[in-house]
Amino acid sequence: MIIDGKAMASQVEAETRSRIAKLMEKGIVPGLAAILVGSNPASQMYVRLKHSACARVGLRSENVQLSEDIDEDKLLAKIEELNRRADIHGIMLELPLPKHLDPRKAMMTIAPEKDVDGFHPENMGALLLGAEKLVPCTPKGIIYALEHLGVKLEGAEAVIVGHSNVVGKPLAAMMLNRNATVQVCHVYTKNLVEHTRRGDILVVAAGVPGLIKADMVKPGAYVFDVGINRVGDKTVGDVDFDAVKDIASAITPVPGGVGPLTVSMMLSQVVSATEAQTGHL
Ligand code: NAD
């Protein structure tokens, strides 16, 4: 089975739209501020995607464009200003930042209740303690898809390739919170295949095209390919899709798999943040 991330995302967006309508009836308009420092073309594209996704569901989104050479103090002051604004319920800061700015400091300045990327240490800490609040959107999308497909996480062997703060680490915590047995592999892992072949659920977020071949996958596994790689004029994932689709129970395509799910989780999380801040849970 091919996991249709676009179709699942449309369903999440429909639910999000109706949650927004309920808030609007009470005079509350959820608002997102997306901060972009400088003019990195990939970041510009991601920010554009976020604004158009917000427009699709009727979320108000504001573009906060800051110059490449902005002082750290000015960036932090801008974040604090957004923290104070009652009409802004979610704040996203596009990474990477220019080299002279400390991303950790900036992330820590975002008010935890507005941190819809789920990167603030308070939200990460809550996640690790099993009290998930706002969590990173890609792992949230993968968990949503597994639950939607009726895949039991309790007792499942889950293998994650990639240990980034954005995908691998928070996903491992979310899976542990649901009682899966979790292994996290990375670039220093020896004999990757010995690990990946154990996974009833295999999530790959390495950014290496074709890293996972058919003989590295357990027959019947659920495979989530998070990778987004440009190869020539094509966008491909980290999994050899054509070969792996024949032995997996289910697999996400690239594009059209984890990407749209991630965006839909971002929208849903802005609404959750709004509901929490306005007491309309
Ligand atoms: P990252 O660069 O921060 O981390 C990469 C991880 O992969 C590291 O843990 C590294 O050790 C591991 N790795 C690299 N090469 C490896 C190898 N040969 N064998 C085993 N492990 C290896 O990456 P990230 O930010 O987590 O992103 C990973 C990929 O996922 C990228 O292609 C990125 O574009 C994509 N991504 C997609 C979405 C989405 O919504 N679909 C979201 C986030 C990231």
Side-chain angles (χ1 to χ4, degrees), residues 131-275:
E132 294 169 15
K133 292 187 203 164
L134 297 173
V135 296
C137 299
T138 301
K140 190 176 166 74
I142 293 169
I143 297 288
Y144 174 88
L146 284 165
E147 287 172 352
H148 191 84
L149 293 165
V151 180
K152 204 170 164 218
L153 272 155
E154 197 163 86
E157 293 252 6
V159 179
I160 302 167
V161 181
H163 71 333
S164 70
N165 292 335
V166 186
V167 186
K169 284 190 214 166
L171 179 61
M174 290 178 86
M175 287 182 157
L176 284 172
N177 289 343
R178 289 159 181 79
N179 299 322
T181 300
V182 185
Q183 271 196 77
V184 184
C185 307
H186 44 74
V187 74
Y188 297 105
T189 299
K190 294 180 183 125
N191 294 319
L192 187 61
V193 58
E194 280 177 21
H195 301 279
T196 56
R197 277 191 64 88
R198 293 174 62 101
D200 301 315
I201 299 163
L202 176 62
V203 180
V204 192
V208 180
L211 177 67
I212 302 298
K213 316 257 184 292
D215 64 353
M216 298 170 80
V217 177
K218 182 174 178 176
Y222 282 77
V223 180
F224 289 82
D225 189 353
V226 182
I228 302 176
N229 309 293
R230 266 327 259 182
V231 175
D233 59 354
K234 282 177 83 179
T235 300
V236 300
D238 292 347
V239 177
D240 179 353
F241 180 84
D242 289 332
V244 171
K245 74 174 181 348
D246 295 331
I247 57 162
S249 277
I251 181 169
T252 58
V254 178
V258 176
L261 276 169
T262 298
V263 174
S264 71
M265 291 298 136
M266 180 273 284
L267 299 170
S268 155
Q269 206 145 241
V270 175
V271 176
S272 301
T274 310
E275 289 165 345

Side-chain angles (χ1 to χ4, degrees), residues 1 7 18 43 47 59 104-106 166 168 171 213 215 224 247 257 277:
M1 180 181 61
S18 68
S43 297
V47 168
L59 261 174
R104 223 168 281 185
K105 219 170 176 178
V166 186
L171 179 61
K213 316 257 184 292
D215 64 353
F224 289 82
I247 57 162
Q277 284 162 52

